[in-house]
Amino acid sequence: HVEVFRQRLEDEFHMEAVVTPPKVPYTIKYLPTKNYKPPPTANGEEVVIEDLIDWPEQGHRFKVKEPMVDVRVLTPVEYAGSIMELIKRKRGTSMKTKPIDEFTWQITSSMPWADVVTDFHDELKSTSTGYASFDVAESDPPQKEADLRKVDILLNGEVVDPLAFVCHVDVSRAQARVVCEKLRDVLPRQQFVTVIQAKADGKIIASERIRAYRKDVLTKAGKTMGGGDVSRKKKLLEKQKRGKKRQQSTGKVTLSQAAFRAVISRSG
């Protein structure tokens, strides 16, 4: 629905809107450490954050609670097995099945809101060829402690805050790899090499590269530069190499809607 709304804005009103990943409220409880103190806003209590820029920095000890919802799925019986596998991948627990009639099953499960609000709808429709539907209700308890990790995306060594995401530690490497591969395919090619990296807990956990456009500096107006002088040709190539390196350190990569979609949909 969001994608249809964005497309209509562009087609009918010529307004370009960028759809970013949805915000999810996480409850952070800082734990005491010797070298790091909680931020002043914490005051020794739990803090609710929605912007990932407020996620605790490396070195802090903390616990995270994430919002949970009860999901009820109605599906034709032939898709029930595939949908149960999908719910498991989305960290669904307490799964129950109930036949409504000989053609339809009801599947209920408790799931993290973050996994529902991102791409569960699209994957459910894809898995069931559009026949399954679902609704949600607040779970009891509404929050659950989880081992989560923030993954930052870097372009040429610079952190791009809007592309950061949070996921479970067990799938962080796999999802980071998927995001880097998708960004490699959708980001525009530049005159310089674009290095895409995913970083978590101070370590690079995934990396991709977009090759630079190559220009033949040894040919100009159909003529070979430098003639037969090898040293002259080497100087031209070295000059080009230095220019590309300088561009890589100062050049900016433009983010498109496809880049944000790569973070929203992190399934391979």
Side-chain angles (χ1 to χ4, degrees), residues 65-267:
K65 289 182 181 179
E66 60 180 344
M68 303 292 293
V69 292
D70 290 330
V71 177
R72 181 180 63 176
V73 178
L74 293 178
T75 175
V77 64
E78 60 264 32
Y79 301 112
S82 299
I83 290 175
M84 291 170 69
E85 287 297 322
L86 171 63
I87 292 174
K88 288 180 181 178
R89 290 203 310 271
K90 298 296 182 180
R91 297 190 288 137
T93 58
S94 306
M95 194 184 309
K96 296 180 182 178
T97 59
K98 176 184 176 182
I100 303 299
D101 53 41
E102 59 179 316
F103 302 109
T104 309
W105 273 23
Q106 174 182 288
I107 305 172
T108 58
S109 176
S110 178
M111 294 177 59
W113 176 236
D115 286 270
V116 176
V117 76
T118 48
D119 58 354
F120 181 71
H121 174 272
D122 293 343
E123 291 199 42
L124 179 68
K125 292 297 183 182
S126 176
T127 301
S128 64
T129 325
Y131 287 105
S133 61
F134 79 102
D135 57 18
V136 299
E138 188 174 287
S139 184
D140 184 23
Q143 291 184 323
K144 183 179 179 181
E145 191 172 305
D147 193 3
L148 303 180
R149 165 187 275 183
K150 177 188 175 185
V151 179
D152 284 311
I153 301 298
L154 293 78
L155 297 180
N156 288 340
E158 183 177 342
V159 176
V160 184
D161 290 323
L163 296 182
F165 63 92
V166 169
C167 62
H168 196 272
V169 169
D170 292 344
V171 297
S172 59
R173 286 184 179 273
Q175 291 195 4
R177 194 178 305 115
V178 169
V179 170
C180 287
E181 290 174 353
K182 288 186 175 183
L183 289 175
R184 178 198 61 196
D185 296 335
V186 301
L187 289 179
R189 200 172 174 186
Q190 306 289 338
Q191 294 292 340
F192 49 86
V193 175
T194 303
V195 181
I196 307 165
Q197 295 173 309
K199 186 177 182 180
D201 297 334
K203 299 178 181 178
I204 301 298
I205 59 175
S207 181
E208 291 289 341
R209 293 168 66 90
I210 302 176
R211 291 188 302 170
Y213 283 118
R214 182 166 181 176
K215 180 181 178 182
D216 188 1
V217 294
L218 299 181
T219 304
K220 187 174 182 180
K223 298 181 180 179
T224 302
M225 301 295 292
D229 189 351
V230 177
S231 61
R232 172 63 177 159
K233 291 180 180 180
K234 285 184 178 180
K235 286 182 180 179
L236 289 171
L237 291 173
E238 284 296 325
K239 184 179 179 181
Q240 181 191 42
K241 186 177 179 180
R242 290 194 301 270
K244 285 184 178 290
K245 191 173 182 180
R246 184 167 59 251
Q247 282 185 318
Q248 184 176 359
S249 62
T250 60
K252 299 294 182 182
V253 179
T254 303
L255 297 181
S256 62
Q257 179 59 56
F260 290 103
R261 196 178 298 120
V263 178
I264 295 173
S265 179
R266 298 192 293 271
S267 56

Side-chain angles (χ1 to χ4, degrees), residues 9-20:
L9 272 179
E10 185 174 345
D11 294 342
E12 299 177 20
F13 300 96
H14 308 290
M15 297 174 61
E16 187 173 349
V18 176
V19 180
T20 58

Side-chain angles (χ1 to χ4, degrees), residues 21-76:
K23 293 183 179 181
V24 176
Y26 294 100
T27 301
I28 307 293
K29 183 177 181 180
Y30 286 89
L31 303 177
T33 59
K34 293 182 179 180
N35 300 325
Y36 293 90
K37 295 182 179 180
T41 54
N43 293 325
E45 300 177 355
E46 295 181 340
V47 180
V48 178
I49 65 169
E50 290 186 351
D51 291 321
L52 294 186
I53 196 171
D54 298 323
W55 191 266
E57 297 178 359
Q58 182 188 358
H60 286 295
R61 292 179 61 239
F62 59 94
K63 293 182 179 180
V64 185
K65 289 182 181 179
E66 60 180 344
M68 303 292 293
V69 292
D70 290 330
V71 177
R72 181 180 63 176
V73 178
L74 293 178
T75 175

